Amino acid sequence: MVRNPERRAALVDAAVDVLAAEGARGLTFRAVDTAAGVPTGTSSNYFTNRDDLLHQIDLWLHERLAPDPEVVEELLKRPRDRDLVTAFMHDLMGRVQGDRTGFLAMMEMRLEAVRRPELRASLMKSLRGDLDFGIAFNAESELPGGAEEITLLYLGMLGLILEELTMPGMLEGAIPGVRVPDGVVDRLVERIVPDA
């Protein structure tokens, strides 16, 4: 059977929607077919099994959630200081708010990886690759901070993203006078990244 790459991409996007809305237990071929608006059985023609589908979601999410190269290029025209790091973190939070479904699906992938060793290995490799890329990008772009600061910033932003996606409003008022999430992003960078 000849497979249509556009349909495969649409099925993976539909799978992301299902994963974000229903969690890993709700991620079935039938649910993906319904979400994609295709005949029942279509997904099973494109993915050998559920593990294959999860692997394809992992690959696609890392592409889908990545920063826009044009935005990165524009930001890199600015001085290499802590304010630029803050701008990159605000861009990340903007992407979270703009693709809530994609980021929720990534959180679900993390949870499913706890139960599936093969997925854990694949996801750990891609997530660690993202962190290593961020550390290298920071160094190559001559931004303030090193591996330790970028790792701590990664952890702080991951926690903020988790709270914003799963318990929006919970952090309001936790830090008096600081808006959530923007003010918290500012504070994270201010406290973790050294001033140039």
Side-chain angles (χ1 to χ4, degrees), residues 2-195:
V2 176
R3 293 195 177 126
N4 179 333
E6 289 81 20
R7 179 167 279 187
R8 182 182 184 86
L11 289 168
V12 174
D13 259 334
V16 168
D17 292 344
V18 171
L19 186 60
E22 304 296 328
R25 287 188 176 188
L27 185 66
T28 63
F29 284 155
R30 181 179 296 269
V32 172
D33 291 341
T34 300
V38 298
T40 301
T42 302
S43 293
S44 62
N45 290 325
Y46 283 82
F47 308 101
T48 55
N49 54 37
R50 197 162 176 270
D51 288 333
D52 180 28
L53 178 59
L54 286 166
H55 179 69
Q56 294 306 313
I57 293 170
D58 178 25
L59 295 175
W60 172 230
L61 282 175
H62 283 86
E63 188 176 324
R64 175 174 163 170
L65 303 179
D68 181 335
E70 291 179 10
V71 171
V72 172
E73 184 180 345
E74 192 61 34
L75 285 172
L76 285 174
K77 293 177 182 176
R78 297 171 55 173
R80 304 301 206 265
D81 56 16
R82 187 164 59 193
D83 288 342
L84 180 54
V85 176
T86 303
F88 275 115
M89 295 306 104
H90 280 292
D91 174 65
L92 170 58
M93 190 54 66
R95 287 185 282 122
V96 169
Q97 293 165 332
D99 190 359
R100 181 177 164 77
T101 298
F103 281 91
L104 278 171
M106 181 56 78
M107 296 294 178
E108 289 289 345
M109 290 287 285
R110 287 170 173 267
L111 292 172
E112 186 63 9
V114 172
R115 296 176 282 278
R116 293 177 174 268
E118 311 81 28
L119 179 59
R120 183 180 320 123
S122 170
L123 192 58
M124 188 176 297
K125 182 178 178 183
S126 55
L127 289 172
R128 181 54 192 257
D130 289 347
L131 176 59
D132 290 343
F133 176 83
I135 292 168
F137 174 83
N138 196 75
E140 291 164 12
S141 300
E142 300 178 349
L143 292 166
E148 180 177 340
E149 289 80 11
I150 298 308
T151 302
L152 292 172
L153 191 56
Y154 166 85
L155 293 170
M157 289 297 295
L158 184 60
L160 178 59
I161 290 166
L162 176 66
E163 292 301 328
E164 277 298 291
L165 290 176
T166 62
M167 296 290 158
M170 193 280 292
L171 291 175
E172 291 297 336
I175 305 172
V178 175
R179 290 184 350 264
V180 179
D182 293 338
V184 177
V185 169
D186 295 342
R187 290 290 175 93
L188 280 170
V189 176
E190 178 186 305
R191 297 287 163 73
I192 294 172
V193 177
D195 198 5

